[in-house]
Amino acid sequence: MATSFTPMSKKLRREDALEYHSQGRPGKIEVIPTKPTATARDLALAYSPGVAEPCLEIAKDPDLSYTYTARSNLVGVVSNGTAVLGLGDIGPYAGKPVMEGKGVLFKKFADIDVFDINVDAKEVDAFCAVVKALEPTFGGINLEDIKAPECFVIERRLQEQMNIPVFHDDQHGTAIISGAAMMNAVELAGKKLSEVRVVVSGAGASAIACTNFWVSLGVKVENVLMVDTKGVLHAGRTDANEWKRPYVRETTARTLADALVGADVFLGASVKGVLTAKMLMGMAKNPVIFALANPDPEIDYQEAKQARPDAIVATGRSDFPNQVNNVLGFPFIFRGALDVRARRINEEMKLAAARALAALAREDVPDAVSHAYGGERFTFGPDYIIPKPFDPRVLLWVAPAVARAAMETGVARVPVDLAEYREKLHRMQSRSYQVMSTVFARAKSKPQRIALNDGEHPRVLQAARILREEGVCEPILLGDASAITRAIAETRLEDELKGVTILDPRRSPDRERFVREYFVMKQRHGVSLERAEADLGRRNYFGSMLVKTGGADGFVTGLTQSYPEAVRPLLEVIGTREGRRAGGVYIMVQRNEFKFFADCTMNPVPSPEYLADIALATADLARSFDVVPRIAFLSYSNFGSASGGPGPARMREAMELARKRRPDLEMDGEMQVDAALVAEERQSRFPFTRLTGDANVLIFPSLDAANTSYKLLWRFGGAEVIGPILLGMNQAVNVLQNNASVQDIVNLAGVTAVRAQGGEFLF
């Protein structure tokens, strides 16, 4: 079953995983204050004496803890480490990285905060006592990685004892997602839930919970055969515990192969390899095969499809159609439960979640989802029976369905207006996690050859490994060949970068041809043949000519040079598109939104014409990220309030030029940052503004202002930075910051690869 976000299908080095979890601040989570803490007054309000006031109010009414503390958005992910992923009983210390990871998924997909609680207690009584005592802290409890059969007892007891939702995701997460997929698959197979014969491989927490849930959806219990490590649960066995006992049958079947003869549905929640192609041949027409063992299914997807082309097949893997992934469930189920302050997550809420997912799969899939998966089109059918994890609509469908069920069954303490609730979810929905995943998915759809300068640099080599493994692009390493080969050995990347293209500008067989072509291009621009020889020995000129002549599709440089030094050869060789100007844009990603800052790299004091060009090019870039651009031309003046200086007049003229060229775009200015980004300021003081929402494309009056602003937000505001993205060029080239991290290089290479594809992504 799928208990992780994305099953690893590619080689992942031990060193990479350890470095990821240990670099910088150890672990994957931190606590960030949500209120100001800058002054003595702030601290007095946060702690003593101000904190006494909410304490006194909560003492009168404990439910006010939801109002005055973070409890309403806080889930405890609790484990004793006795059944951690595929690692088994490794204990609570070793299980903590997994629990932190679960917290990351809660936050990224549903903006739910998590404390991971790792309890050193295998005994049911001791474990339950600890979790029960934590109730005042949390709005809900997500039990995780607890072995069967103790997990059944623990969940049932805590649900009875606690007045907040308690949900064991290993049981119910897979059950809900697989149930949604199963409903659609059975219908597509032309069968009825009440009539299908189901064979279950596995009898642990997930298998039993899935089977129980499928029965609640309409599968008849008498039509189920369950197979554990000892074979079919048949009436002659005396070892079935109370959770297996409902599935003991009078049957002559003893093995999985016996059980599958004539079966309509296979549900696997067991181990790799237990299902064979030969076994599938005995199943009924149009079988449904759910091989959910993770990361390796009971039978390989391709093998199953080859054996039974008429089958509908699902796995827990992201590299095949129909991924049954728990991340489609738990974040959104808890979101709905928390927002109505549910006392528990009951069967009706689980059914509502499954039916919402099943219904969403039947809807037309928007372009944004298609873009996130490399342009692949999804239509309800045998290869698309469940929504994709990166479909942003899942939050908007599942959480309201869960909230409605909670209200209808009387477990909600705070009813909500569902229309208003959906709008609230839409506003809070995080976009940050989608930004680069969308870019990478597009890049993978048509891989490009991207040359990377400084090929011997360890960060470039690490980036090249990631780009190659993930299929984002095929890297070409530029630099001294012997130095690059030596650096690959020193970083122990020989296997990962085996066969990678290495080009040495000083020894390349293409160098003389490049020199001649470059000389012809630039001979009337002051470049002599000797100068051409010298230039083409430099990597930035060589990389630019490589792209110019079709030897590479794109070029990323700048890691070890200043921006002007790195960008000049690109401008001289590649040049800008006709009627366009070069400009640098940073995408600033912070919490639930991202904004485009321009121009941050090129022109110290831009003219109105330049500003208008860059504004329109940045708007096109925003559209390529599925963002509707709202452009603000920034200044220290608001609509003529300080009209005496040249800066405001320049920004005002730039806005008018841009508006004449693109009247379809939302834009306004000149305006201060407050008016551009604070709705209350804009609406109260400037009701005439053309912006219908906060600006997301910010055009700065100078390079000083733009560069300073993005670095302040980056260094002190905690924003993530993508870029700089070089706009207006004839071909796909980009320049890194010279302090770029491995992830920066990967991100910019991905953007460059998408730009190299051309088409609608030409910016």
Side-chain angles (χ1 to χ4, degrees):
M1 54 283 183
T3 53
S4 60
F5 174 41
T6 303
M8 292 304 302
S9 59
K10 301 179 176 68
K11 184 177 180 182
L12 185 67
R13 301 190 316 163
R14 175 176 178 273
E15 293 91 336
D16 296 331
L18 294 177
E19 181 184 4
Y20 174 85
H21 286 83
S22 64
Q23 65 183 343
R25 185 191 295 265
K28 301 186 288 291
I29 57 175
E30 64 176 326
V31 176
I32 299 175
T34 59
K35 300 294 189 296
T37 56
T39 67
R41 181 178 184 276
D42 292 339
L43 296 178
L45 288 168
Y47 195 54
S48 181
V51 74
E53 297 306 325
C55 291
L56 292 170
E57 293 301 308
I58 295 170
K60 300 174 193 173
D61 180 1
D63 274 357
L64 288 175
S65 60
Y66 288 102
T67 301
Y68 293 118
T69 76
R71 189 183 180 202
S72 63
N73 196 53
L74 189 60
V75 166
V77 173
V78 188
S79 177
N80 61 7
T82 54
V84 179
L85 295 178
L87 304 175
D89 185 356
I90 60 174
Y93 294 99
K96 182 172 170 59
V98 178
M99 303 313 119
E100 287 187 356
K102 195 66 175 274
V104 170
L105 298 183
F106 267 108
K107 187 66 177 177
K108 285 295 183 183
F109 284 91
D111 195 26
I112 293 172
D113 298 314
V114 162
F115 291 158
D116 65 292
I117 307 295
N118 301 277
V119 181
D120 189 7
K122 293 185 177 181
E123 302 79 11
V124 170
D125 290 348
F127 186 90
C128 288
V130 170
V131 180
K132 173 66 176 71
L134 295 172
E135 182 168 349
T137 299
F138 297 108
I141 297 291
N142 182 101
L143 298 174
E144 193 76 17
D145 292 351
I146 303 168
K147 72 181 181 71
E150 288 88 340
C151 63
F152 302 118
V153 180
I154 286 170
E155 185 189 45
R156 184 169 61 192
R157 185 179 299 181
L158 290 175
Q159 287 174 339
E160 292 170 352
Q161 293 178 350
M162 300 180 76
N163 204 31
I164 58 174
V166 177
F167 182 84
H168 185 207
D169 187 49
D170 296 319
Q171 295 181 55
H172 309 300
T174 305
I176 291 165
I177 314 310
S178 69
M182 185 271 299
M183 286 189 285
N184 283 338
V186 167
E187 180 175 322
L188 287 167
K191 303 177 182 183
K192 295 180 179 179
L193 288 178
S194 60
E195 297 174 357
V196 293
R197 289 186 52 215
V198 177
V199 173
V200 182
S201 174
S206 183
I208 290 174
C210 286
T211 310
N212 290 344
F213 190 71
W214 287 21
V215 169
S216 69
L217 287 169
V219 172
K220 290 194 173 174
V221 68
E222 58 266 28
N223 289 343
V224 177
L225 284 181
M226 185 172 285
V227 184
D228 65 8
T229 56
K230 297 178 181 178
V232 175
L233 296 181
H234 60 84
R237 288 179 54 175
T238 59
D239 59 342
N241 60 34
E242 65 175 291
W243 295 279
K244 296 180 182 180
R245 205 166 295 133
Y247 298 105
V248 171
R249 294 285 166 269
E250 287 283 355
T251 177
T252 59
R254 293 294 182 266
T255 67
L256 179 61
D258 296 339
L260 282 169
V261 175
D264 299 289
V265 181
F266 169 82
L267 169 61
S270 53
V271 294
K272 172 186 177 181
V274 298
L275 183 63
T276 67
K278 183 178 180 180
M279 293 180 191
L280 297 183
M281 301 308 294
M283 293 185 71
K285 181 181 178 182
N286 299 330
V288 174
I289 302 165
F290 281 17
L292 305 184
N294 191 35
D296 298 307
E298 285 80 1
I299 186 171
D300 179 73
Y301 177 89
Q302 302 288 9
E303 186 181 356
K305 289 294 286 186
Q306 186 175 3
R308 291 300 301 262
D310 59 334
I312 296 174
V313 182
T315 70
R317 297 181 65 100
S318 61
D319 47 354
F320 297 118
N322 301 325
Q323 183 191 17
V324 175
N325 192 325
N326 284 18
V327 82
L328 282 167
F330 67 84
F332 315 110
I333 293 166
F334 269 99
R335 180 76 275 160
L338 290 173
D339 290 338
V340 295
R341 296 186 192 169
R343 294 179 176 85
R344 61 187 54 85
I345 295 172
N346 58 28
E347 197 68 14
E348 290 82 1
M349 294 161 73
K350 298 172 199 172
L351 291 168
R355 288 170 178 146
L357 285 168
L360 178 56
R362 298 162 183 262
E363 294 290 307
D364 291 336
V365 180
D367 289 341
V369 177
S370 178
H371 288 165
Y373 288 88
E376 185 180 355
R377 296 288 174 178
F378 303 108
T379 304
F380 179 62
D383 291 333
Y384 180 71
I385 58 175
I386 194 75
K388 293 291 184 179
F390 278 111
D391 190 332
R393 300 173 301 164
V394 176
L395 174 67
L396 307 178
W397 281 63
V398 175
V402 170
R404 178 194 290 274
M407 291 188 290
E408 290 177 347
T409 56
V411 299
R413 279 181 280 220
V414 179
V416 296
D417 179 284
L418 287 172
E420 293 178 1
Y421 179 52
R422 287 191 185 91
E423 180 59 28
K424 175 187 173 184
L425 292 174
H426 191 72
R427 289 195 305 268
M428 60 77 66
Q429 192 171 47
S430 173
R431 295 294 307 277
S432 62
Y433 76 88
Q434 299 177 40
V435 178
M436 287 312 301
S437 61
T438 300
V439 169
F440 293 147
R442 292 174 180 173
K444 292 176 189 179
S445 69
K446 187 181 177 184
Q448 304 289 297
R449 300 161 300 161
I450 304 300
L452 304 176
N453 198 359
D454 302 302
E456 70 280 3
H457 198 289
R459 273 178 273 170
V460 171
L461 294 176
Q462 291 288 356
R465 174 187 63 80
I466 295 169
L467 292 166
R468 227 177 175 213
E469 287 182 354
E470 297 299 320
V472 175
C473 66
E474 180 54 37
I476 299 171
L477 301 176
L478 295 191
D480 182 276
S482 60
I484 293 174
T485 302
R486 188 165 55 252
I488 289 173
E490 290 172 354
T491 52
R492 293 183 296 147
L493 291 171
E494 296 100 321
D495 291 341
E496 291 83 354
L497 294 179
K498 184 178 181 180
V500 70
T501 301
I502 299 173
L503 292 181
D504 189 333
R506 296 185 179 276
R507 295 176 177 81
S508 169
D510 293 318
R511 185 182 173 204
E512 289 307 313
R513 177 169 62 89
F514 286 1
V515 168
R516 291 193 302 271
E517 294 188 22
Y518 176 65
F519 175 62
V520 170
M521 285 169 50
K522 307 300 288 186
Q523 61 188 351
R524 293 185 178 273
H525 297 274
V527 175
S528 64
L529 186 57
E530 292 77 11
R531 164 80 182 279
E533 286 274 4
D535 283 350
L536 265 298
R538 297 157 65 186
R539 299 176 187 182
N540 285 334
Y541 282 95
F542 185 89
S544 300
M545 284 299 296
L546 191 66
V547 175
K548 181 83 173 178
T549 59
D553 302 304
F555 180 37
V556 176
T557 185
L559 181 64
T560 61
Q561 305 107 42
S562 68
Y563 196 91
E565 180 186 3
V567 79
R568 189 176 298 113
L570 310 186
L571 293 171
E572 292 179 7
V573 176
I574 301 296
T576 58
R577 300 207 305 279
E578 185 176 355
R580 302 295 288 269
R581 303 169 196 257
V585 176
Y586 281 98
I587 304 176
M588 309 301 295
V589 184
Q590 191 173 38
R591 293 183 65 84
N592 298 330
E593 58 184 346
F594 55 100
K595 298 190 184 297
F596 299 81
F597 282 29
D599 163 31
C600 298
T601 64
M602 294 297 295
N603 199 317
V605 184
S607 68
E609 292 80 8
Y610 179 93
L611 289 164
D613 284 348
I614 292 303
L616 299 182
T618 308
D620 289 338
L621 176 66
R623 287 188 184 279
S624 75
F625 281 85
D626 300 313
V627 173
V628 177
R630 292 187 294 273
I631 308 168
F633 290 81
L634 300 178
S635 174
Y636 61 83
S637 170
N638 276 316
F639 309 108
S641 65
S643 57
R650 191 160 43 88
M651 299 307 288
R652 188 160 54 252
E653 183 180 350
M655 190 277 295
E656 293 297 344
L657 288 171
R659 195 159 66 89
K660 286 178 183 176
R661 289 168 56 185
R662 291 289 300 277
D664 58 304
L665 293 175
E666 265 189 54
M667 64 182 73
D668 217 334
E670 85 288 8
M671 61 201 308
Q672 294 181 2
V673 170
D674 312 65
L677 299 181
V678 182
E680 295 82 359
E681 176 85 1
R682 189 170 56 252
Q683 292 162 3
S684 62
R685 295 184 60 199
F686 312 110
F688 54 83
T689 181
R690 299 184 182 99
L691 297 181
T692 61
D694 293 346
N696 49 36
V697 174
L698 305 182
I699 308 301
F700 291 86
S702 69
L703 186 56
D704 278 342
N707 192 272
T708 301
S709 296
Y710 102 76
K711 287 195 173 180
L712 281 171
L713 189 57
W714 174 31
R715 294 298 189 184
F716 295 102
E720 298 175 36
V721 177
I722 299 170
I725 299 170
L726 187 57
L727 303 185
M729 301 298 289
N730 264 318
Q731 290 173 278
V733 290
N734 274 298
V735 179
L736 293 157
Q737 308 170 84
N738 62 13
N739 60 349
S741 67
V742 171
Q743 191 59 52
D744 292 332
I745 300 169
V746 170
N747 287 347
L748 204 57
V751 170
T752 306
V754 170
R755 167 64 176 82
Q757 292 173 347
E760 63 179 301
F761 309 127
L762 194 63
F763 40 78

